[in-house]
Amino acid sequence: MLQPALATRHYTLQRKNKSKQHTVAKKTSTHKVMATTTVHKALNPATAAPKPALSVSALQDTTAPKVVVVTSVFKPSLRSAAKINLTAATAPAEVSVIPLIYNVPAQNLTFSYHPVSIKPLALMIDTALHWKKDRYIKVGYGNYATPYAEAGVALGDGQKSAILLHGKYTSSIGNLPYQNFAKGGIGANGVFALPNQQQLTGKIYFDNSTQYLYGFTGNNNFTKEQLQQQFNAIGGNFGFETTQPNDYGIAYHPEIGFSSFFDNRQANEMNTVIKAPISKTLGKLLTFEVTGLADITHLQTPDNTINNNLFYVAPALSFKVPNVQIKAGIQPSWDNNQFSLLPDITLQANVAENQLIVLAGWQGYFHKNSYQSLTASNPFIEQPTALFNTKFTEQYAGLKGNAGKHFAYLAKISFIQINNQPLFANDTAAGKSQGFVVLNEPKLQALRLHGEISYTNQKNFSFIAGMDYTQYTQQQVYDKPWGLLPLDVTGTLRYQLTKDFSLKSDLFLWDGSQYRDPVTLASRKLPAAIDMNAGAEFAVSKRLNIWLQFNNIFNNKYQRWNQYQVLGFNVLGGIVYSFH
């Protein structure tokens, strides 16, 4: 096969040869014509007119040869591949607005300083976690003839139900006459999951405490039964709540609780509490909430019948943006048919991403006083002759935040107006100075400084400390705030040294309270006190642990209540056996 260039040349040469042949043919024809003309003239001379002779060049074909040049260049190549376009199309605009509500609890900013009872939390349990059913028994013994026994059982699968059974008992015999006490109780807490992100919560309990009025002065002319103070409480609390707001943005948690409290002197108190909080989100920024409360108390003693009731409705509107939270509400209240309108205004502004948060507020609230709550503060009181509720109106400002990943703090200053504050004073009746009577201070004011600090390093180390300094002024009836602490400092330390060895310690420090001398009726002040305890627990096998506890390490025989000296240095030890 010829190459493209050679093929073009060959075709051109062929065309030229054909043109030459055509030219030669024309020349031959011309010569023939000339010959014919010459012959004709010879035969007919008359008709032949002289004409100019045609030259050979004139008869030649003067047209240029026709040359056709065909150019065809062929270069083999691959076909161009189609290019894929990966450009995404623009998504259509979303016109619907979906409200998203985030409830992120503050961490390491609010602390509890005193041990509280164990109870289930309202939370959604991760189904990936394995629910461990813990069962344990803790027993021990210490000086002052102090036995100790505790047991706990956890039941349920952790997804649909969680139940905790718990029991505890301890007692001691001091060196002073009738310096004895015993405390015990059993209880059950439960959480049960329901459809549609709802759950039931419940608690039932029985508590018993026995102590004696050993703080008498002079000769002991009393029998053991006359000095005995025994209190019993049986009750329960049941609630129904949503774990997440429903499709309408509504969350609710109604509760009902009851208790029966009685002593060994024919006093019986019935308490019923009904509480119904409900909230509804109004868009992304606003939340409306309202809480209703009915707290009813009926106390029957051999000499008196006392009713103490408290009702209130508290509506409030909360405004939340990433850096500012504002709550504005009121609390119409009826305290034994006496109406009060209390404020509920708070402000929280985030200045530096949780490192510095400014607090301010103006709040009013009630503290319900009952025979049961008063004995929890002072177990040496006599049967009350009247019950009243304490009203607080507080104006405060403060700061809180985090410094680094482990350290948190809170500082607050408050100005408080207090109405119907219970005071505890030694009885002035002959032969009854070892008991305390509950007095009502109608009005007083207080300036309070409150501080908290904490340092937490995962689960290995934690330290929490709090302080309250209160200066009471403007009392109307009584000379001093008898029984109220002006300074109270508490601290708790937990250190997990290794997986099988842990340490703990608690510190209590306070300035002595004012008290009334039962003889001279003059106001006096108790000395300051400090109390510290420490303990350790370590494993000796998979199921067996050994524990050791030291109480009142400084052997400081202080008095929290006038005439009642506490136990000295106390050491206990024992074992913990786990069934799992």
Side-chain angles (χ1 to χ4, degrees):
M1 181 177 181
L2 297 177
Q3 297 296 327
L6 296 177
T8 301
R9 183 181 179 185
H10 176 72
Y11 183 80
T12 303
L13 291 176
Q14 288 180 352
R15 293 293 299 173
K16 288 183 178 181
N17 292 335
K18 289 181 180 181
S19 298
K20 289 180 179 181
Q21 293 176 2
H22 181 69
T23 304
V24 173
K26 282 186 176 184
K27 288 181 179 182
T28 304
S29 178
T30 302
H31 289 305
K32 288 180 178 183
V33 171
M34 293 177 61
T36 302
T37 303
T38 304
V39 172
H40 184 270
K41 287 181 177 182
L43 293 178
N44 193 6
T47 58
K51 291 183 180 178
L54 296 173
S55 64
V56 178
S57 60
L59 295 176
Q60 291 179 351
D61 188 1
T62 60
T63 61
K66 296 180 181 181
V67 178
V68 179
V69 179
V70 178
T71 302
S72 176
V73 178
F74 175 74
K75 293 182 179 181
S77 63
L78 296 175
R79 182 180 179 182
S80 300
K83 186 176 182 180
I84 301 176
N85 187 4
L86 299 178
T87 304
T90 304
E94 179 65 37
V95 296
S96 61
V97 178
I98 302 175
L100 300 177
I101 302 170
Y102 299 92
N103 184 14
V104 181
Q107 299 180 0
N108 299 330
L109 295 178
T110 303
F111 315 105
S112 299
Y113 304 115
H114 301 286
V116 295
S117 59
I118 300 175
K119 61 181 180 180
L121 300 178
L123 54 80
M124 298 182 64
I125 298 177
D126 190 350
T127 56
L129 298 178
H130 176 66
W131 177 251
K132 182 188 293 185
K133 298 178 177 64
D134 288 326
R135 299 176 177 89
Y136 73 93
I137 296 177
K138 182 178 181 179
V139 294
Y141 194 82
N143 63 330
Y144 294 108
T146 304
Y148 184 91
E150 182 181 354
V153 178
L155 306 173
D157 58 5
Q159 299 180 3
K160 296 182 179 179
S161 63
I163 303 172
L164 175 64
L165 308 178
H166 184 261
K168 185 177 180 180
Y169 174 81
T170 186
S171 64
S172 292
I173 301 176
N175 297 327
L176 300 176
Y178 302 110
Q179 193 183 17
N180 307 342
F181 80 92
K183 294 182 179 180
I186 56 175
N189 298 272
V191 179
F192 305 92
L194 298 176
N196 301 324
Q197 296 182 340
Q198 301 178 106
Q199 66 182 18
L200 288 174
T201 60
K203 175 184 177 181
I204 56 176
Y205 64 90
F206 171 77
D207 292 325
N208 171 268
S209 66
T210 302
Q211 51 275 316
Y212 297 88
L213 300 175
Y214 64 91
F216 47 79
T217 58
N219 296 327
N220 178 15
N221 298 321
F222 303 98
T223 63
K224 187 175 183 179
E225 290 74 16
Q226 290 175 327
L227 298 176
Q228 187 181 45
Q229 291 272 88
Q230 186 180 73
F231 303 112
N232 303 277
I234 182 172
N237 186 34
F238 303 94
F240 176 72
E241 64 178 323
T242 56
T243 58
Q244 297 288 338
N246 60 19
D247 296 338
Y248 298 95
I250 296 177
Y252 46 84
H253 187 194
E255 293 180 281
I256 181 171
F258 67 90
S259 66
S260 175
F261 181 79
F262 52 94
D263 63 10
N264 59 326
R265 298 177 182 175
Q266 300 181 354
N268 190 358
E269 181 181 72
M270 298 296 298
N271 294 286
T272 303
V273 180
I274 302 174
K275 188 175 182 180
I278 184 172
S279 65
K280 177 177 175 56
T281 57
L282 305 174
K284 298 181 179 180
L285 304 180
L286 294 177
T287 301
F288 175 77
E289 57 187 24
V290 60
T291 301
L293 175 78
D295 194 339
I296 302 171
T297 299
H298 176 77
L299 174 61
Q300 183 70 50
T301 66
D303 301 325
N304 294 293
T305 299
I306 305 171
N307 294 316
N308 183 23
N309 304 322
L310 175 64
F311 304 91
Y312 69 73
V313 178
L317 190 64
S318 298
F319 173 79
K320 295 182 180 180
V321 294
N323 294 325
V324 178
Q325 297 182 13
I326 300 175
K327 179 181 178 182
I330 57 175
Q331 182 177 303
S333 306
W334 292 265
D335 176 19
N336 294 315
N337 297 324
Q338 184 176 357
F339 177 76
S340 298
L341 184 62
L342 303 179
D344 186 11
I345 301 174
T346 62
L347 170 65
Q348 181 172 309
N350 192 336
V351 178
E353 297 182 355
N354 292 333
Q355 294 183 2
L356 180 61
I357 300 175
V358 178
L359 306 174
W362 181 28
Q363 289 183 302
Y365 50 92
F366 277 92
H367 177 76
K368 180 70 178 295
N369 295 316
S370 62
Y371 190 17
Q372 183 176 358
S373 65
L374 293 173
T375 56
S377 298
N378 185 349
F380 307 110
I381 65 171
E382 299 176 356
Q383 291 178 353
T385 58
L387 291 176
F388 45 86
N389 303 313
T390 306
K391 182 176 70 174
F392 297 88
T393 304
E394 180 179 3
Q395 301 171 7
Y396 68 88
L399 302 172
K400 70 176 181 179
N402 297 325
K405 298 181 180 179
H406 308 290
F407 184 78
Y409 64 90
L410 169 64
K412 185 171 70 172
I413 181 172
S414 304
F415 175 75
I416 309 173
Q417 293 183 350
I418 307 174
N419 297 96
N420 300 325
Q421 171 65 47
L423 305 179
F424 302 95
N426 290 94
D427 196 345
T428 58
K432 302 181 75 173
S433 64
Q434 68 275 16
F436 288 84
V437 293
V438 181
L439 304 176
N440 183 6
E441 174 57 62
K443 185 177 180 180
L444 74 161
Q445 296 180 356
L447 180 65
R448 177 170 296 167
L449 300 177
H450 176 76
E452 304 173 10
I453 58 172
S454 72
Y455 183 88
T456 305
N457 186 5
Q458 299 179 353
K459 296 181 180 180
N460 298 328
F461 182 85
S462 66
F463 173 75
I464 301 174
M467 180 272 294
D468 279 308
Y469 171 76
T470 309
Q471 182 178 3
Y472 296 97
T473 59
Q474 302 295 324
Q475 292 186 219
Q476 287 189 344
V477 177
Y478 299 103
D479 182 38
K480 296 293 182 180
W482 297 318
L484 304 182
L485 293 176
L487 176 65
D488 187 10
V489 179
T490 58
T492 299
L493 183 146
R494 299 290 183 267
Y495 183 32
Q496 187 77 29
L497 189 60
T498 64
K499 180 180 179 181
D500 301 326
F501 187 83
S502 61
L503 299 172
K504 64 177 182 178
S505 180
D506 299 298
L507 176 68
F508 306 92
L509 185 151
W510 60 80
D511 193 8
S513 63
Q514 299 282 342
Y515 71 93
R516 184 179 67 179
D517 190 295
V519 178
T520 63
L521 304 183
S523 294
R524 304 185 186 277
K525 183 178 179 299
L526 292 172
I530 182 172
D531 193 340
M532 183 177 180
N533 59 52
E537 183 173 337
F538 58 92
V540 295
S541 68
K542 183 177 180 181
R543 297 185 177 182
L544 184 65
N545 287 14
I546 295 179
W547 64 275
L548 194 63
Q549 178 74 26
F550 301 94
N551 298 321
N552 197 359
I553 294 177
F554 303 117
N555 196 28
N556 185 5
K557 298 182 180 180
Y558 57 88
Q559 298 181 26
R560 170 61 181 91
W561 303 104
N562 181 42
Q563 302 177 183
Y564 285 87
Q565 177 181 292
V566 302
L567 298 176
F569 176 76
N570 180 221
V571 57
L572 296 90
I575 62 173
V576 180
Y577 187 81
S578 301
F579 303 86
H580 62 77

